[in-house]
Amino acid sequence: MIATMTIAASLAISPAAAATGPEPEAMAAVDRAGGARASDDPLTRPMAVERAKEWLAPLPPERIFGNSYLVGFAGLSVALIDTGAGLVLIDGALPQAAPMILSNVRKLGFDPKDIKFILSTEPHYDHAGGIAALARDTGATVVASRRGAEGLRAGAHAKDDPQFDYGGAWPAVSRLRVVKDGEVLRIGRASITAHATPGHTMGSMTWSWNACEGKRCKVIVFASSLNPVSADRYRFTAPSSAPIVKGFEASYRRMGALKCDILISAHPDNAGAGRYGSGSGACRSYAERSRRLLAKRLAEERQETSK
């Protein structure tokens, strides 16, 4: 059963001091993604991991369909929905990406101050690192799952996260609104549904909504990462990892069953070529890709154990 809720747009995030720590590929004083000098703003201080230049390769903002747009990058998706009663942003990329995201919003003719909500897919620095700055600069309310909200408040990986051993931290968000699986955020002409998709993190959330052009409407899905990646020492076959594996299996079923005319994945290359997918069965293919990767990983770990 899908619960329905309307979230008050007046709940804003208070500016929080960002805690930044070394990632496995190290923090740097220079933003390798854009070549700019590191900002003194603690909420946008660059996290220049090895892949930042690829992830934040600039792309022009693009209308996908109807009221829905992309304002992100070649390697990290950020979506924008114009509800007619305010804007909704999905994900925030790396901390240093926040000014670029707001610039892309302006290029589309929108005022960033009209962003009422920022929806989070997962508590990882590459998707949530920019949220604290974006929320501060727009006054928007951040929306996440319960476990996702815990990670955003901490600005760090959860202990059961397969990537926990990477360590490091990113700008923390101090006040959030929590939604449950199946809840619907209604604002203006938009109804955005939250779908729990655990595995990559146990707090991962996928979002879907209708976008219309005249009488023609399509369901757009912004999918959280389903990639079974981890720190080197993590084992998906360990007994302690059983909830993670079960989470993935539940997410594959849920993703495969979603009505899905257009798929945006948190990392575009995880869903195929281009910034989004619009082919038949895009969400099912996305789930199957991860299912195969997890099966391969489990088989490799079992083979190692048997040696």
Side-chain angles (χ1 to χ4, degrees):
M1 179 176 180
I2 294 179
T4 301
M5 67 181 298
T6 301
I7 302 180
S10 61
L11 178 60
I13 294 176
S14 61
T20 53
E23 289 295 329
E25 292 86 4
M27 303 279 286
V30 176
D31 175 7
R32 293 185 213 147
R37 193 160 55 95
S39 170
D40 290 333
D41 180 355
L43 298 191
T44 60
R45 194 167 291 147
M47 299 187 75
V49 296
E50 191 172 296
R51 295 188 63 186
K53 184 176 288 188
E54 175 188 350
W55 282 344
L56 297 184
L59 289 175
E62 176 183 349
R63 186 167 74 91
I64 305 169
F65 187 83
N67 63 346
S68 302
Y69 306 80
L70 287 171
V71 292
F73 311 94
L76 290 172
S77 296
V78 182
L80 183 75
I81 307 168
D82 176 15
T83 74
L87 306 172
V88 176
L89 198 68
I90 305 180
D91 270 356
L94 293 162
Q96 65 265 39
M100 293 181 275
I101 292 169
L102 296 181
S103 175
N104 281 341
V105 171
R106 292 187 190 95
K107 287 176 182 177
L108 290 170
F110 297 115
D111 184 349
K113 292 293 186 182
D114 289 333
I115 297 174
K116 306 302 183 185
F117 301 106
I118 301 172
L119 313 184
S120 174
T121 60
E122 68 185 56
H124 277 172
Y125 71 89
D126 49 342
H127 307 287
I131 288 179
L134 290 166
R136 178 199 61 192
D137 294 343
T138 64
T141 298
V142 177
V143 184
S145 70
R146 179 183 64 82
R147 287 294 306 274
E150 291 173 1
L152 294 178
R153 288 191 188 100
H157 300 100
K159 289 184 178 180
D160 62 354
D161 192 314
Q163 299 184 46
F164 176 75
D165 281 351
Y166 283 152
W170 56 92
V173 177
S174 60
R175 296 180 63 199
L176 302 100
R177 197 55 163 291
V178 171
V179 294
K180 297 178 181 179
D181 177 34
E183 288 195 50
V184 179
L185 166 65
R186 298 191 187 279
I187 173 173
R189 298 185 297 269
S191 298
I192 307 167
T193 304
H195 307 275
T197 42
H200 187 74
T201 79
M202 290 304 282
S204 294
M205 191 73 87
T206 288
W207 307 90
S208 70
W209 64 97
N210 275 350
C212 299
E213 293 183 354
K215 295 183 178 180
R216 191 163 67 110
C217 296
K218 295 184 178 183
V219 177
I220 301 180
V221 174
F222 192 115
S224 67
S225 292
L226 289 181
N227 208 3
V229 296
S230 72
D232 291 342
R233 293 188 299 174
Y234 186 86
R235 292 294 177 266
F236 286 99
T237 49
S240 60
S241 301
I244 298 288
V245 174
K246 288 181 180 178
F248 270 121
E249 291 169 349
S251 294
Y252 301 152
R253 293 191 295 270
R254 180 166 288 123
M255 187 67 65
L258 282 180
K259 183 169 175 53
C260 177
D261 299 310
I262 295 174
L263 169 66
I264 305 165
S265 61
H267 286 283
D269 60 354
N270 286 350
R275 298 180 79 173
Y276 61 90
S278 57
S280 176
C283 283
R284 288 193 300 275
S285 297
Y286 184 61
E288 284 304 314
R289 174 188 182 275
S290 178
R291 192 194 301 272
R292 291 192 298 270
L293 289 172
L294 180 60
K296 181 174 182 288
R297 176 68 182 269
L298 292 170
E300 289 172 349
E301 289 183 13
R302 293 182 182 118
Q303 186 175 12
E304 288 176 3
T305 303
S306 65
K307 288 180 180 179

